[in-house]
Amino acid sequence: MEEEAGEEPVLDRTTASKDFHFYHMDLYDSEDRLQIIPEENTSMRREVVQAEMTKDPRGAGERKVQRDLQEDVDDLVHLYGLEDEHELGDEFVEESRMGVSGYLPYGMKRRDPAREQRDWRLGGEVAEAEDLGYGGWGLAGQCQDLREAYRYTHGRASEEYECYVIPEEEDEEEAEDVFCVTCKIPIRAVEKAFDEHKEHEVTPLNKALESAKDEIHKNMYKLEKQIIEMENFASHLEEVFITVEENFGRQEQNFELHYNEILETLAQKYEEKIQTLGQKKKEKLEALYGQLVSCGENLDTCKELMETIEEMCHEEKVDFLKDAVAMADRLGKFLKTKTDVEISAQPDFEDQTLDFSDVEQLMGSINTIPAPSAPVINPQAPNSATGSSVRVCWSLYSDDTVESYQLSYRPVQDSSPGKNQEEFTVTIKETYCSVVNLEPNTQYEFWVIAQNRAGPSPSSEHAVYMTAPSPPIIKSKEIRSCEEAALICWESGNLNPVDSYTVELTQAETPEASGVTESVVGIPTCESLIQLQPKQCYTIYVRALNVGGPSTRSEPATVHTTGSYFHLNKDTCHPWLTISKDGFTVVRSERKILAKEPLPSKTQFTRCVAVMGNLIPVRGHHYWEVEVDECLDYTVGVAFEDVPKQEDLGANCSSWCMRHTFASSRHKYEFLHNRTTPDIRITVSPKKIGILLDYENSKLSFFNVDISQHLYTFNCQLHQFVHPCFSLEKPGCLKIHNGISMPMHVTFY
């Protein structure tokens, strides 16, 4: 039998084991389901089988069929890797026999012939098997049917049997648990030893994930800064664009208006000149015409006289003499008449001087625009200032044409009378200006004047802008911490008050890491109690904020959440005691003895030579150790902050202490509270005392650190926070060790 790679046989309900699950359901229509056992071959199979059983029920034919069937089953089991499936034993053979005998396997039912709509035709081998009378369930026909059934019904309902075969999901591969740094892909730890990653650098998957997150956070922080810078630059460009567009728009309107006026003036002058020239032309032509008529009349008279004289010359002498006298008189009179022979109007064109002074005035008025109106200065925008600069913006009316602006500013005057603040002025072209060299966290008043050729505008209203604060100063000596939190204190660093503070935390293995993992914003005072993760190293920064924006970062401070960390409070220190520079050692010197006791005080110890530590106000577990001298008289313990400073430690209900006195080579240990102590004998004098304060269980325990010995435990009523306290009855010193992990022997108490 030849099978395609990856195919699996379809088994019935009785042979299904942990590999297959059967659900009796009809998921598909009859026409879509595979006909595994054709209905028309059932009768033929029954006849063949009955004939063989009748002929030789126990003969060689039946044994041969069973033997061949067993071999086919074994081949199928070997082919599909089912050797370990013990369920595929005799049950499969038995039910195969039932199939040969014409019976259906248990849990299946035949298809209704009325529902048959498609004739599924099998291949050549199946047809040959049917011709031999085995149908689909004899010898090779059975194997072929199994193959065909699996090919057509894998994952869907069978038509012959209304059941659904769902193969069990393959076992998932082992998940990747390490990260290959060289290939930058997650792999399994097994591949590190045998695969191509053998020589590569690998790291735990969680560590690689955290590293990738930190890198992403760093890049996001840089990207956010770049986005802010680009947005600011884009807003600057937009303001310049709008200003240029408005100015040129107003100039275009102004040019159009003035050129229209010039054209109207020229048209009017043209009409006036044309009318003047026409009048003068008419006058000249009329004069010349009159003169021409007079000349014609004179010429006619002369011609008439000439003709008359010629006629007289042909007359008789007597008639000639008579007419000659009369003609002589007439000629005398005519000749005495003066004839005007000068042209009254010259033909030359008179030079007409055109007066364009008013046009020139209009042309000049094109560049003569009115003075602009007073600009409107904008209120200060958020985050528009630094510690030494501020960005000022203003606007103007759209009809104004402005060539430049004069921005003036000065610090806001304080309450001191007669103090004049110096004014500064800068000239710019845009409607914004970044003013530099200013004092941090200081208010300045600004006003602006617009200018063009016509002159300056009135001044705008005065607006108050404020520079960003100076960076705060973290008080590293006053930082208190425990495994769950830290109390950070700082100085404002500004003369004027600020709006709030922001604390930025960087959690990293090295303090040089720059990625901010957490920020606490809106802190109104100069201290903040911040929740942290245990056994970590944090780098702390503080920023101050006001309306102008945030300050730059403060100098960093490092906080370790390994145990409880505190300093000694100098305000509570008795005058006879001295605290070292590091704040962890208290010394009583023989020389430092005052002539008289100090005056009573609510904060400073005056009778008891003691000092108190500043423990972080966080409930939980706090542990510290005190290094002592065996021959030293000392008292260590805890007390409320308002413990009476004129009483000894342990002499009231506000303190719980361990007291040691040394006299005549004998050590005396007392565990005092309200002047009472239990009867406890300590055989090994401790050189280092461990103190465990347990708020959750209201207990205070003492230990001998060197031998891991429990000394005593108080059951305290801690209705408020307590602080460590230390007292020296004689000259000597106590050295405090804090910020340390809790030893194993302490965790059991």
Side-chain angles (χ1 to χ4, degrees), residues 663-675:
S664 302
S665 301
R666 295 183 61 183
H667 299 275
K668 180 180 179 181
Y669 293 92
E670 299 174 286
F671 296 92
L672 296 169
H673 174 64
N674 205 14
R675 297 185 182 275

PDB file of all heavy atoms in Angstrom, residues 663-675:
ATOM      1  N   ALA A 663      29.573  48.259  85.203  1.00  0.00           N
ATOM      2  CA  ALA A 663      30.156  48.680  86.491  1.00  0.00           C
ATOM      3  C   ALA A 663      30.782  47.458  87.161  1.00  0.00           C
ATOM      4  O   ALA A 663      30.150  46.393  87.249  1.00  0.00           O
ATOM      5  CB  ALA A 663      29.096  49.285  87.389  1.00  0.00           C
ATOM      6  N   SER A 664      32.005  47.640  87.619  1.00  0.00           N
ATOM      7  CA  SER A 664      32.728  46.585  88.358  1.00  0.00           C
ATOM      8  C   SER A 664      32.772  45.287  87.551  1.00  0.00           C
ATOM      9  O   SER A 664      32.474  44.180  88.074  1.00  0.00           O
ATOM     10  CB  SER A 664      32.072  46.338  89.721  1.00  0.00           C
ATOM     11  OG  SER A 664      32.043  47.524  90.476  1.00  0.00           O
ATOM     12  N   SER A 665      33.119  45.452  86.249  1.00  0.00           N
ATOM     13  CA  SER A 665      33.265  44.299  85.353  1.00  0.00           C
ATOM     14  C   SER A 665      31.980  43.509  85.188  1.00  0.00           C
ATOM     15  O   SER A 665      31.988  42.335  84.824  1.00  0.00           O
ATOM     16  CB  SER A 665      34.380  43.360  85.856  1.00  0.00           C
ATOM     17  OG  SER A 665      35.603  44.047  85.940  1.00  0.00           O
ATOM     18  N   ARG A 666      30.860  44.147  85.476  1.00  0.00           N
ATOM     19  CA  ARG A 666      29.583  43.465  85.314  1.00  0.00           C
ATOM     20  C   ARG A 666      28.736  44.230  84.295  1.00  0.00           C
ATOM     21  O   ARG A 666      28.708  45.468  84.283  1.00  0.00           O
ATOM     22  CB  ARG A 666      28.842  43.381  86.654  1.00  0.00           C
ATOM     23  CG  ARG A 666      29.566  42.525  87.697  1.00  0.00           C
ATOM     24  CD  ARG A 666      28.748  42.430  88.966  1.00  0.00           C
ATOM     25  NE  ARG A 666      27.450  41.805  88.698  1.00  0.00           N
ATOM     26  CZ  ARG A 666      26.504  41.645  89.627  1.00  0.00           C
ATOM     27  NH1 ARG A 666      26.720  42.106  90.863  1.00  0.00           N
ATOM     28  NH2 ARG A 666      25.362  41.063  89.304  1.00  0.00           N
ATOM     29  N   HIS A 667      28.048  43.475  83.461  1.00  0.00           N
ATOM     30  CA  HIS A 667      27.187  44.044  82.439  1.00  0.00           C
ATOM     31  C   HIS A 667      25.740  43.912  82.881  1.00  0.00           C
ATOM     32  O   HIS A 667      25.304  42.851  83.342  1.00  0.00           O
ATOM     33  CB  HIS A 667      27.378  43.323  81.094  1.00  0.00           C
ATOM     34  CG  HIS A 667      28.767  43.424  80.549  1.00  0.00           C
ATOM     35  ND1 HIS A 667      29.200  44.497  79.789  1.00  0.00           N
ATOM     36  CD2 HIS A 667      29.851  42.590  80.667  1.00  0.00           C
ATOM     37  CE1 HIS A 667      30.451  44.318  79.440  1.00  0.00           C
ATOM     38  NE2 HIS A 667      30.884  43.165  79.972  1.00  0.00           N
ATOM     39  N   LYS A 668      25.032  44.993  82.747  1.00  0.00           N
ATOM     40  CA  LYS A 668      23.614  44.985  83.099  1.00  0.00           C
ATOM     41  C   LYS A 668      22.807  45.444  81.877  1.00  0.00           C
ATOM     42  O   LYS A 668      23.056  46.512  81.313  1.00  0.00           O
ATOM     43  CB  LYS A 668      23.348  45.920  84.272  1.00  0.00           C
ATOM     44  CG  LYS A 668      21.885  45.955  84.702  1.00  0.00           C
ATOM     45  CD  LYS A 668      21.667  46.906  85.865  1.00  0.00           C
ATOM     46  CE  LYS A 668      20.199  46.947  86.276  1.00  0.00           C
ATOM     47  NZ  LYS A 668      19.979  47.887  87.401  1.00  0.00           N
ATOM     48  N   TYR A 669      21.846  44.608  81.488  1.00  0.00           N
ATOM     49  CA  TYR A 669      21.012  44.904  80.331  1.00  0.00           C
ATOM     50  C   TYR A 669      19.570  45.039  80.783  1.00  0.00           C
ATOM     51  O   TYR A 669      19.050  44.193  81.530  1.00  0.00           O
ATOM     52  CB  TYR A 669      21.118  43.799  79.275  1.00  0.00           C
ATOM     53  CG  TYR A 669      22.494  43.717  78.632  1.00  0.00           C
ATOM     54  CD1 TYR A 669      23.477  42.862  79.148  1.00  0.00           C
ATOM     55  CD2 TYR A 669      22.810  44.496  77.528  1.00  0.00           C
ATOM     56  CE1 TYR A 669      24.733  42.791  78.568  1.00  0.00           C
ATOM     57  CE2 TYR A 669      24.059  44.425  76.938  1.00  0.00           C
ATOM     58  CZ  TYR A 669      25.013  43.573  77.463  1.00  0.00           C
ATOM     59  OH  TYR A 669      26.249  43.509  76.890  1.00  0.00           O
ATOM     60  N   GLU A 670      18.950  46.116  80.355  1.00  0.00           N
ATOM     61  CA  GLU A 670      17.546  46.366  80.686  1.00  0.00           C
ATOM     62  C   GLU A 670      16.781  46.691  79.396  1.00  0.00           C
ATOM     63  O   GLU A 670      17.305  47.363  78.511  1.00  0.00           O
ATOM     64  CB  GLU A 670      17.411  47.549  81.654  1.00  0.00           C
ATOM     65  CG  GLU A 670      18.100  47.346  82.985  1.00  0.00           C
ATOM     66  CD  GLU A 670      18.042  48.613  83.815  1.00  0.00           C
ATOM     67  OE1 GLU A 670      18.789  49.556  83.465  1.00  0.00           O
ATOM     68  OE2 GLU A 670      17.254  48.659  84.769  1.00  0.00           O
ATOM     69  N   PHE A 671      15.552  46.210  79.317  1.00  0.00           N
ATOM     70  CA  PHE A 671      14.662  46.515  78.200  1.00  0.00           C
ATOM     71  C   PHE A 671      13.515  47.338  78.764  1.00  0.00           C
ATOM     72  O   PHE A 671      12.551  46.805  79.324  1.00  0.00           O
ATOM     73  CB  PHE A 671      14.175  45.224  77.538  1.00  0.00           C
ATOM     74  CG  PHE A 671      15.292  44.439  76.904  1.00  0.00           C
ATOM     75  CD1 PHE A 671      15.970  43.450  77.622  1.00  0.00           C
ATOM     76  CD2 PHE A 671      15.697  44.723  75.607  1.00  0.00           C
ATOM     77  CE1 PHE A 671      17.005  42.748  77.038  1.00  0.00           C
ATOM     78  CE2 PHE A 671      16.739  44.014  75.025  1.00  0.00           C
ATOM     79  CZ  PHE A 671      17.405  43.024  75.733  1.00  0.00           C
ATOM     80  N   LEU A 672      13.661  48.665  78.647  1.00  0.00           N
ATOM     81  CA  LEU A 672      12.834  49.612  79.382  1.00  0.00           C
ATOM     82  C   LEU A 672      11.680  50.132  78.543  1.00  0.00           C
ATOM     83  O   LEU A 672      11.835  50.467  77.367  1.00  0.00           O
ATOM     84  CB  LEU A 672      13.686  50.803  79.837  1.00  0.00           C
ATOM     85  CG  LEU A 672      14.808  50.493  80.842  1.00  0.00           C
ATOM     86  CD1 LEU A 672      15.736  51.684  80.994  1.00  0.00           C
ATOM     87  CD2 LEU A 672      14.194  50.108  82.188  1.00  0.00           C
ATOM     88  N   HIS A 673      10.522  50.221  79.194  1.00  0.00           N
ATOM     89  CA  HIS A 673       9.353  50.909  78.667  1.00  0.00           C
ATOM     90  C   HIS A 673       8.510  51.344  79.859  1.00  0.00           C
ATOM     91  O   HIS A 673       8.078  50.504  80.664  1.00  0.00           O
ATOM     92  CB  HIS A 673       8.530  50.008  77.746  1.00  0.00           C
ATOM     93  CG  HIS A 673       7.235  50.642  77.304  1.00  0.00           C
ATOM     94  ND1 HIS A 673       7.202  51.782  76.521  1.00  0.00           N
ATOM     95  CD2 HIS A 673       5.938  50.312  77.575  1.00  0.00           C
ATOM     96  CE1 HIS A 673       5.944  52.112  76.302  1.00  0.00           C
ATOM     97  NE2 HIS A 673       5.156  51.245  76.940  1.00  0.00           N
ATOM     98  N   ASN A 674       8.318  52.650  79.973  1.00  0.00           N
ATOM     99  CA  ASN A 674       7.547  53.211  81.088  1.00  0.00           C
ATOM    100  C   ASN A 674       8.151  52.805  82.440  1.00  0.00           C
ATOM    101  O   ASN A 674       7.442  52.437  83.381  1.00  0.00           O
ATOM    102  CB  ASN A 674       6.089  52.762  80.992  1.00  0.00           C
ATOM    103  CG  ASN A 674       5.156  53.724  81.695  1.00  0.00           C
ATOM    104  OD1 ASN A 674       5.531  54.844  82.042  1.00  0.00           O
ATOM    105  ND2 ASN A 674       3.937  53.270  81.934  1.00  0.00           N
ATOM    106  N   ARG A 675       9.510  52.834  82.484  1.00  0.00           N
ATOM    107  CA  ARG A 675      10.316  52.561  83.684  1.00  0.00           C
ATOM    108  C   ARG A 675      10.231  51.105  84.156  1.00  0.00           C
ATOM    109  O   ARG A 675      10.589  50.790  85.284  1.00  0.00           O
ATOM    110  CB  ARG A 675       9.902  53.479  84.846  1.00  0.00           C
ATOM    111  CG  ARG A 675      10.130  54.954  84.577  1.00  0.00           C
ATOM    112  CD  ARG A 675       9.809  55.794  85.808  1.00  0.00           C
ATOM    113  NE  ARG A 675       9.991  57.200  85.545  1.00  0.00           N
ATOM    114  CZ  ARG A 675      11.153  57.846  85.642  1.00  0.00           C
ATOM    115  NH1 ARG A 675      12.234  57.173  86.008  1.00  0.00           N
ATOM    116  NH2 ARG A 675      11.228  59.130  85.387  1.00  0.00           N
TER     117      ARG A 675
END
